[in-house]
């Protein structure tokens, strides 16, 4: 559930800190008080794109923080799968800080992307807005709702269809790529034959390119290398009287006469002997190295020629020897296919038929399960609509078949509805009444809520276009949902406000020459006064107050059943 929302320097909100409770949380306020800003702030916290100029005072930080408590083990595991670790007591703290058009997003103090915010918040909160309500008018959304409702049994079948479709598409793509006339096939076979022979004749070994290039670089630079090595040899060897070897020899002779006179001298003499031995070994190895650099022109031309062959092959068939080998392997396979073209095409055609049959079988199984789940969903929605004063409603789902199977199956399905006796069923996306759409969406939400484990449901403008008895039924349905889920709703209807377990007032006022929006939780008497305002408008009479009290009393009785 959503425990707390803290907003600073966002739109008209200077600093608002709201603690929400279990069950039904209702927010009311005058038109223009900033109710939409509260919903906008929630969306920002959930990772939505930041509106332009959202920060109230640009030279200060904008801040939005949502604190959730998660106690469902399955949701906790899903959050962990997204790389986020809840606190020991199950808290998830989402924070967005906006500074100079830059946003820093964190979850439990771990920096994350806005996309990660959306993924995590989607497991915690389900927000219904008037915009979302319009998704009912999109045919494609209907099957998404069905699949979400029956995901436990539908998802495995969807996965099977996707796997079969992927196999089928891969085989069809291969068939399309191999489709060619006899002349084209002959040209390709000959070209592959030439490429295979060229690579094989080069007889390149793994790592040979690096070895040959190393040899070539040594030979190309041998003159400079030998000249420098000779200088080193003359300095460290024994060829001149000033060479290091000779100088150390003279030093050893000088120390030999005195080493027996003092034990410390003897130790130093031993160190110098080691230096002389090391220098001698160094000069022997250096001389051997210079001798190895002695090669004739034929050796150089041989290495140069081999390097040219290797680089030529790599230039044509891959930047590395491993890529060349992979190209050779693929070419051999394709040569074999094209050499036995008719037999291969026949075999491939048979594989395509079997893959298509398996795909359609999986799609039919998916369709059958979707139809079973659609019966359950439509029955639940009909019951929920009856609770919302759709007295003679009929609600069903029509299944059509797509021309071709997709990775999502072969179904083209959509909801149909009739709200009056004698009225024919018509697609839900043809429903025009805002009030009907609001109640239908609430009915669907109530059915979906029983199937998912999202802790918090937020309704913004769910009461659009309704009043009277319909408003009362919507309030009762929201109260029912709030028994198993935390519900947060903005409303302008007194029937819904009276049903609140926690009632909040959103109001706008002037503070030090600035317009600010604040949110306060109302006690019972203040809640009654706010309901009276919703009932009576500007002038609140005793009769209106009495009506408001009675409405709250009736709501309390309704919530007990």
């Amino acid at each position: 559930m959503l425990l707390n929302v803290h907003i600073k320097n966002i739109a008209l909100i200077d600093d608002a800190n709201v603690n929400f409770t279990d069950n039904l949380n209702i927010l009311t306020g005058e038109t223009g008080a900033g109710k939409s800003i509260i919903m906008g702030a929630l969306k920002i916290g959930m990772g939505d794109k930041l509106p332009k100029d959202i920060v109230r005072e640009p030279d200060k930080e904008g801040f939005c923080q949502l604190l959730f408590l998660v106690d469902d083990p399955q949701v906790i595991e899903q959050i962990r799968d997204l790389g986020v670790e809840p606190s020991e007591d199950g808290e998830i703290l989402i924070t967005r800080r906006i500074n100079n058009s830059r946003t820093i997003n964190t979850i439990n103090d771990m920096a994350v992307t806005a996309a990660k915010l959306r993924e995590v918040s989607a497991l915690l909160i389900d927000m219904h807005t008037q915009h979302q309500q319009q998704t009912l008018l999109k045919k494609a959304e209907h099957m998404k709702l069905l699949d979400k409702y029956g995901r436990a049994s539908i998802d495995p079948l969807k996965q099977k269809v996707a796997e079969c479709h992927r196999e089928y598409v891969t085989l069809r793509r291969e068939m399309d790529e191999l489709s060619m006339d006899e002349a084209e096939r002959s040209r390709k076979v000959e070209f592959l034959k030439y490429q295979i022979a060229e690579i094989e004749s080069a007889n390149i070994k793994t790592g040979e390119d690096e070895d040959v290039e190393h040899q070539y670089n040594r030979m190309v630079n041998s003159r400079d290398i030998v000249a420098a090595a000779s200088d080193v040899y003359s300095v460290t060897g024994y060829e001149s009287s000033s060479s290091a070897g000779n100088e150390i020899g003279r030093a050893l002779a000088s120390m030999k006469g005195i080493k027996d006179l003092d034990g410390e001298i003897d130790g130093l003499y031993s160190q110098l002997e080691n230096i002389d031995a090391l220098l001698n070994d160094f000069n022997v190895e250096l001389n051997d190295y210079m001798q190895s650099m002695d090669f004739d022109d034929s050796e150089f031309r041989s290495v140069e020629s081999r390097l040219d062959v290797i680089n030529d092959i790599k230039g044509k068939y891959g930047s590395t020897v491993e890529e060349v080998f992979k190209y050779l392997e693929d070419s051999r396979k394709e040569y074999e296919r094209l050499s036995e073209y008719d037999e291969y095409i026949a075999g491939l055609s048979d594989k395509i038929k079997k893959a298509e049959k398996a795909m359609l079988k999986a799609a039919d199984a998916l369709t059958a399960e979707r139809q079973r789940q659609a019966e359950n969903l439509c029955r639940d929605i009909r019951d929920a609509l009856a609770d919302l004063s759709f007295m003679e409603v009929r609600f069903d789902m029509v299944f059509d078949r797509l021309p071709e199977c997709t990775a999502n199956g072969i179904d083209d399905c959509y909801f149909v509805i009739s709200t009056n006796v004698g009225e024919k069923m018509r697609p839900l996306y043809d429903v025009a009444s805002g009030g009907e759409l609001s109640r239908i969406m609430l009915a669907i939400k109530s059915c979906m809520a029983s199937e998912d484990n999202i802790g918090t449901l937020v309704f913004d403008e769910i009461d659009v276009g309704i009043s009277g008895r319909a408003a009362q039924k919507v309030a009762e349905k929201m109260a029912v949902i709030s028994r198993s889920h935390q519900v947060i709703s903005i409303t302008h209807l007194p029937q819904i406000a009276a049903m609140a377990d926690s009632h909040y007032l959103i109001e706008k006022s002037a503070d030090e020459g600035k317009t600010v929006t604040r949110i306060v939780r109302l006690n019972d008497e203040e809640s009654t006064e706010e309901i009276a305002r919703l009932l009576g408008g500007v002038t609140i009479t005793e009769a209106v107050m009495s009506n408001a009290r009675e409405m709250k009393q009736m709501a309390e009785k309704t919530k007990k059943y």
Side-chain angles (χ1 to χ4, degrees), residues 43-271:
K43 292 178 187 176
I44 289 172
M46 294 165 62
D48 267 20
K49 184 178 180 181
L50 297 172
K52 187 178 180 181
D53 301 328
I54 188 64
V55 177
R56 177 182 176 85
E57 297 184 36
D59 58 330
K60 296 181 181 179
E61 177 184 77
F63 177 87
C64 183
Q65 189 174 75
L66 310 179
L67 176 62
F68 292 90
L69 178 64
V70 186
D71 54 13
D72 188 313
Q74 183 178 350
V75 176
I76 289 176
E77 190 60 34
Q78 289 174 316
I79 291 172
R80 283 175 173 156
D81 288 342
L82 293 174
V84 174
E85 185 64 33
S87 67
E88 290 184 3
D89 52 5
E91 289 184 348
I92 297 289
L93 183 64
I94 294 176
T95 305
R96 299 194 84 184
R97 300 178 183 274
I98 310 163
N99 292 293
N100 299 321
S101 300
R102 294 184 61 188
T103 306
I104 301 173
N105 312 309
T106 60
I107 301 179
N108 286 3
D109 294 327
M110 181 181 73
V112 297
T113 62
K116 182 68 69 176
L117 280 187
R118 290 191 288 272
E119 287 183 305
V120 172
S121 61
L123 298 172
L124 303 172
I125 188 168
D126 182 6
M127 179 173 286
H128 167 78
T129 63
Q130 192 171 16
H131 169 73
Q132 188 189 33
Q133 183 173 296
Q134 299 303 311
T135 62
L136 289 180
L137 303 181
K138 297 179 181 179
K139 183 179 178 182
E141 295 297 316
H142 297 182
M143 189 161 69
K144 291 181 182 179
L145 287 170
L146 171 62
D147 287 355
K148 184 178 180 182
Y149 175 84
R151 62 179 177 270
S153 56
I154 289 176
D155 279 357
L157 297 174
K158 285 176 66 175
Q159 184 177 350
K160 178 65 175 177
V161 171
E163 291 171 357
C164 292
H165 181 265
R166 186 162 51 250
E167 174 68 16
Y168 174 74
V169 168
T170 300
L171 292 171
R172 285 301 305 265
R173 186 181 297 117
E174 183 179 356
M175 177 67 84
D176 292 340
E177 291 173 354
L178 287 174
S179 296
M180 61 186 74
D181 58 31
E182 184 62 29
E184 183 182 358
R185 183 175 70 86
S186 296
R187 286 194 298 271
K188 193 156 189 175
V189 166
E190 288 302 314
F191 186 59
L192 285 168
K193 185 177 179 181
Y194 166 78
Q195 289 182 315
I196 292 169
E198 185 176 34
I199 297 173
E200 288 178 340
S201 64
N203 195 27
I204 301 173
K205 303 295 188 297
T206 301
E208 184 184 3
D209 54 338
E210 295 177 0
D211 291 340
V212 174
E213 187 169 0
H214 175 67
Q215 291 181 51
Y216 177 77
N217 287 332
R218 286 183 70 218
M219 291 179 172
V220 167
N221 298 296
S222 62
R223 182 172 298 174
D224 294 337
I225 293 172
V226 170
S230 295
D231 288 343
V232 172
Y233 187 78
S234 66
V235 170
T236 61
Y238 305 89
E239 293 183 347
S240 68
S241 59
S242 61
S243 296
N246 287 327
E247 293 289 355
I248 291 175
R250 282 194 290 272
L252 279 171
S254 297
M255 290 188 75
K256 187 174 182 180
I258 62 173
K259 71 182 183 69
D260 294 331
L261 302 178
D262 189 335
E264 289 187 20
I265 293 291
D266 187 53
L268 293 172
Y269 180 80
S270 296
Q271 290 184 43

Side-chain angles (χ1 to χ4, degrees), residues 400-454:
D400 291 331
R401 200 170 176 87
L402 294 171
E404 293 184 358
C405 185
T406 70
N408 196 35
I410 203 165
D411 303 313
D412 180 22
C413 52
Y414 54 93
F415 294 123
V416 291
I417 189 171
S418 170
T419 57
N420 299 301
V421 175
E423 184 181 78
K424 69 177 183 177
M425 302 279 277
R426 58 196 176 112
L428 183 58
Y429 51 79
D430 285 343
V431 173
S433 166
E436 284 187 338
L437 272 181
S438 296
R439 286 184 288 161
I440 292 169
M441 176 57 87
L442 181 58
I444 291 174
K445 286 287 184 182
S446 67
C447 297
M448 302 300 291
S450 64
E451 297 297 325
D452 63 35
N453 48 8
I454 294 178

Side-chain angles (χ1 to χ4, degrees), residues 227-394:
S230 295
D231 288 343
V232 172
Y233 187 78
S234 66
V235 170
T236 61
Y238 305 89
E239 293 183 347
S240 68
S241 59
S242 61
S243 296
N246 287 327
E247 293 289 355
I248 291 175
R250 282 194 290 272
L252 279 171
S254 297
M255 290 188 75
K256 187 174 182 180
I258 62 173
K259 71 182 183 69
D260 294 331
L261 302 178
D262 189 335
E264 289 187 20
I265 293 291
D266 187 53
L268 293 172
Y269 180 80
S270 296
Q271 290 184 43
L272 192 57
E273 278 188 317
N274 290 334
I275 293 172
D276 184 54
L278 287 171
L279 186 61
N280 183 64
D281 290 343
F282 169 77
N283 279 283
V284 170
E285 290 184 20
L286 181 59
N287 184 62
D288 290 343
Y289 174 78
M290 289 189 294
Q291 294 299 322
S292 72
M293 297 297 288
D294 185 19
F295 50 84
D296 57 31
D297 289 344
S298 63
E299 289 180 90
F300 176 76
R301 285 194 296 272
S302 175
V303 171
E304 184 179 42
S305 175
R306 184 58 181 167
L307 184 61
D308 288 342
V309 169
I310 293 172
N311 286 338
D312 182 54
I313 293 295
K314 287 169 62 177
K316 292 179 179 178
Y317 305 113
S319 58
T320 65
V321 172
E322 288 71 22
E323 289 181 10
V324 172
F325 290 163
K326 179 66 169 57
Y327 188 91
L328 176 61
E329 181 184 359
D330 292 342
S331 298
R332 284 169 174 166
K333 290 179 180 178
E334 188 173 4
Y335 178 79
E336 184 179 348
R337 286 198 299 266
L338 295 179
S339 297
E340 301 173 356
Y341 183 76
D342 293 336
E343 295 86 348
Y344 189 84
I345 289 295
L348 184 58
S349 179
D350 186 54
K351 288 181 181 179
I352 290 173
K353 290 176 183 178
K354 289 179 179 178
E356 183 178 26
K357 185 177 179 180
M359 177 179 66
L360 293 176
K361 182 179 179 181
D364 288 340
L366 174 59
T367 297
E369 184 57 31
R370 276 178 172 153
Q371 289 173 339
R372 281 192 291 271
Q373 293 299 327
E375 290 180 9
N376 298 332
L377 175 59
C378 291
R379 182 192 63 241
D380 291 346
I381 293 175
R382 284 193 296 270
D383 293 342
L385 288 172
D387 293 339
L388 293 169
S389 294
F390 284 88
M391 304 312 298
E392 301 293 338
V393 69
R394 290 182 293 152

